[in-house]
Amino acid sequence: MISHRDRNAQRISALDERAEALHLKRGMGIADARAMHPSIDIVEADPEADRRLLEGLADWCDRYTPLVALDGADGLFLDVSGCTHLFGGERKMLDEILSRFFHQGFDVRAGLAATPGAAWAAARFCGDRIVAGGEEEGLLAPLPLAALRIEPEIRASLESVGLRTAGAVMAAPRAPLARRFGATLLLRLDQALGRLDEAVSPRLPVAPLSVERHLSEPIMLTTDIERLVSLLARALKSDLERRGEGARMLALLLFRVDGAVSRIAVGTSRPLREPVLIQKLFHERLAALEQDIDAGYGFDLVRLSVLSAAAFDMQQADLAGEAQDSDADIALFADRIRARLGEAAVLRPVVVESYLPERAVTTVPFSEVPQRRAPPRQRNTPPATVFPPERPIRLFRSPEPIEVPATEMPEGPPMNFRWRRALYRVARAEGPERIAPEWWRRQPGEEEAPTRDYFRIEDSDGRRYWLYRQGLYGASEVPPRWFMHGVFA
């Protein structure tokens, strides 16, 4: 038996057939159960573990349909519309599901109907049953009120007035039922009978494109998996070409014989649809996860899905038949590194709109870099000549404080400075370049940052630096401070 805490008492939450034969029931107190049968075994419930198990079973059910939803703590909804013919019909599909669950060690009840409400009632109150379209009312009529999926309070109120079956509720006038018991009762009833549509919300997004291969003999080796990836990628290429798209995110699903499912995803920095390149990405990912993938008794179903796609830009080929795209090799190299080492393995600097140098650039994952294209240049408009301010080759992540003993004049460059315990004598200086603080980003109550005056400095040995004075002389009681922000060479 399994127990759980209900308020201040331990009660039975689940029990097996042997416990039921001892006249024990759900909701009974553990103390009463032990008084009746002192030798019973009781295990504390673990809701998190039960949830993980149910989600694992939902992953395995993806082999039948991508529309799989969780139903409470012990059920699944599978929308198999348009999928049953792939398994030989409704009866063969249902028998296969029950047989596979049985061999995995689960006692499962299943029902198949045209509406989720009728399928739910058939599974929980009739066992293995297929309800044909239009037979929902005949199915529900003899069943108890719990088959309508209504709250316990509403069930108790209905039973208090003599309505103890779903058929009695369906025979009663609708208007008095709505006034006394609320609209939820009629909503559940109409959904079960097919009068109102009820959508099944899948727990995972449905891939726009998928290809799969059922295997008569399970595979276990990584080389066999990579060979199947190549075959599936070739089948996927024609669908992508027809849509004029390329894959940006791909997922490989490996369905194990005993029910476990492995999901392996790779991302691309550019739309991709070449089978050879897709195989290379999964080769790197499989190599990184080789120790984490447990093949068990083998995989009998392999599926390759496109989770995200984008428009594919065709490249003009030269006389040798090769596209002139210098960035393609760099993008493929970055994608393979990220597939093996993770998204944060390859970063790219991106310009940020900020006047402060340390905020003007940030690093983002390679795949998230926006693809910007230069607007077409007009023929009669001459190109504008812009001279951006000179910046150092190396910019420090954080400015480092320096000591400046004296300056030629209060607003001028230093004559010498001490940085990292070494004294540097200034031979030449250019500046200042004034950068004011970004007042629009200041938080309420925050003091305004001082103004910065940047100087390009060359010392007596020819080394060049980029330093700045923070604050102005005489502007406040606190004297200005000097910082080193980068080096030119």
Side-chain angles (χ1 to χ4, degrees):
M1 296 190 308
I2 299 178
S3 68
H4 75 289
R5 179 169 293 277
D6 183 10
R7 298 177 183 176
N8 293 326
Q10 288 289 120
R11 299 188 179 276
I12 299 175
S13 61
L15 64 167
D16 58 10
E17 295 179 354
R18 296 178 58 186
E20 290 179 347
L22 298 176
H23 304 287
L24 300 178
K25 299 180 180 179
R26 292 186 180 182
M28 179 183 292
I30 296 298
D32 298 335
R34 287 193 180 278
M36 296 172 58
H37 305 281
S39 61
I40 58 175
D41 293 331
I42 301 175
V43 179
E44 182 72 21
D46 188 351
E48 292 297 328
D50 294 341
R51 186 73 174 184
R52 291 193 298 269
L53 174 61
L54 188 62
E55 291 178 349
L57 297 178
D59 288 338
W60 180 81
C61 287
D62 279 349
R63 65 170 54 232
Y64 300 106
T65 173
L67 301 176
V68 181
L70 302 182
D71 175 36
D74 59 352
L76 297 173
F77 269 125
L78 277 69
D79 188 349
V80 296
S81 302
C83 302
T84 55
H85 69 282
L86 300 175
F87 302 89
E90 295 178 349
R91 171 49 59 185
K92 290 186 177 180
M93 180 180 186
L94 194 62
D95 291 343
E96 179 182 340
I97 294 175
L98 294 174
S99 175
R100 283 179 175 268
F101 272 117
F102 173 78
H103 287 95
Q104 293 178 27
F106 295 99
D107 182 12
V108 179
R109 298 178 181 179
L112 198 152
T115 65
W120 189 91
R124 294 180 180 269
F125 294 93
C126 301
D128 178 15
R129 181 170 177 180
I130 298 177
V131 183
E135 297 181 359
E136 293 84 6
E137 186 173 352
L139 166 74
L140 295 172
L143 299 181
L145 297 176
L148 297 178
R149 298 180 294 166
I150 55 179
E151 299 296 332
E153 295 80 7
I154 300 178
R155 296 203 304 264
S157 300
L158 289 170
E159 292 173 353
S160 66
V161 297
L163 301 176
R164 290 182 169 81
T165 63
V169 174
M170 289 186 287
R174 293 174 62 91
L177 289 176
R179 286 196 302 268
R180 183 166 183 177
F181 303 104
T184 304
L185 173 61
L186 298 182
L187 173 64
R188 287 301 193 186
L189 184 61
D190 291 341
Q191 288 176 342
L193 296 177
R195 298 170 184 169
L196 292 177
D197 293 334
E198 181 182 0
V200 175
S201 300
R203 53 185 292 268
L204 297 176
V206 180
L209 291 175
S210 293
V211 289
E212 63 184 32
R213 180 67 63 90
H214 291 263
L215 306 173
S216 57
E217 293 293 336
I219 60 174
M220 303 174 61
L221 300 179
T222 304
T223 55
D224 295 334
I225 297 175
E226 293 183 11
R227 180 176 54 84
L228 278 176
V229 169
S230 178
L231 296 176
L232 295 175
R234 293 175 188 173
L236 202 61
K237 181 180 179 180
S238 59
D239 294 331
L240 291 171
E241 289 178 343
R242 185 179 64 255
R243 296 162 61 106
E245 296 177 339
R248 289 297 306 272
M249 179 69 69
L250 293 150
L252 179 66
L253 278 70
L254 305 174
F255 294 84
R256 214 165 66 182
V257 174
D258 58 356
V261 181
S262 298
R263 294 178 179 270
I264 305 172
V266 296
T268 64
S269 56
R270 309 175 70 183
L272 194 66
R273 62 190 184 194
E274 287 299 326
V276 176
L277 303 182
I278 294 175
Q279 182 186 10
K280 289 182 179 179
L281 293 183
F282 278 105
H283 170 76
E284 302 293 346
R285 192 62 183 154
L286 290 170
L289 300 176
E290 187 174 4
Q291 302 298 328
D292 299 330
I293 299 178
D294 183 10
Y297 293 102
F299 304 106
D300 63 344
L301 173 62
V302 180
R303 178 184 299 164
L304 182 62
S305 302
V306 177
L307 302 182
S308 176
F312 189 86
D313 294 334
M314 300 298 295
Q315 300 291 334
Q316 180 66 39
D318 57 13
L319 296 178
E322 298 180 357
Q324 299 294 329
D325 188 0
S326 59
D327 296 334
D329 294 338
I330 298 178
L332 177 61
F333 171 77
D335 291 341
R336 295 182 66 177
I337 294 297
R338 292 188 302 112
R340 182 179 284 265
L341 303 179
E343 289 292 326
V346 182
L347 304 177
R348 176 180 287 185
V350 176
V351 177
V352 180
E353 294 183 355
S354 177
Y355 291 107
L356 300 181
E358 64 270 20
R359 296 180 182 175
V361 176
T362 187
T363 55
V364 298
F366 194 86
S367 60
E368 298 180 7
V369 177
Q371 302 293 332
R372 296 185 178 181
R373 298 179 180 177
R377 183 179 299 173
Q378 299 180 2
R379 296 181 179 180
N380 299 330
T381 303
T385 302
V386 179
F387 296 97
E390 188 177 358
R391 291 293 180 260
I393 296 176
R394 179 188 177 190
L395 185 71
F396 297 155
R397 185 181 300 272
S398 299
E400 299 182 7
I402 61 175
E403 299 178 9
V404 177
T407 59
E408 296 181 356
M409 51 184 175
E411 303 298 331
M415 300 177 61
N416 53 71
F417 60 92
R418 186 178 298 276
W419 175 47
R420 296 179 179 178
R421 299 183 180 181
L423 181 63
Y424 299 87
R425 299 191 180 278
V426 177
R428 297 177 181 83
E430 295 180 357
E433 176 191 346
R434 178 160 295 181
I435 298 180
E438 298 175 342
W439 54 267
W440 55 91
R441 295 187 177 181
R442 186 178 56 181
Q443 300 296 329
E446 183 181 356
E447 296 183 359
E448 184 177 359
T451 301
R452 297 182 182 181
D453 283 348
Y454 280 85
F455 295 89
R456 293 185 293 274
I457 301 296
E458 181 178 336
D459 65 4
S460 56
D461 296 330
R463 294 184 291 264
R464 302 178 64 203
Y465 310 91
W466 201 46
L467 50 85
Y468 69 89
R469 181 186 64 246
Q470 180 174 285
L472 302 174
Y473 288 99
S476 63
E477 297 180 358
V478 180
R481 301 178 60 191
W482 289 84
F483 293 88
M484 177 71 68
H485 207 163
V487 294
F488 288 91

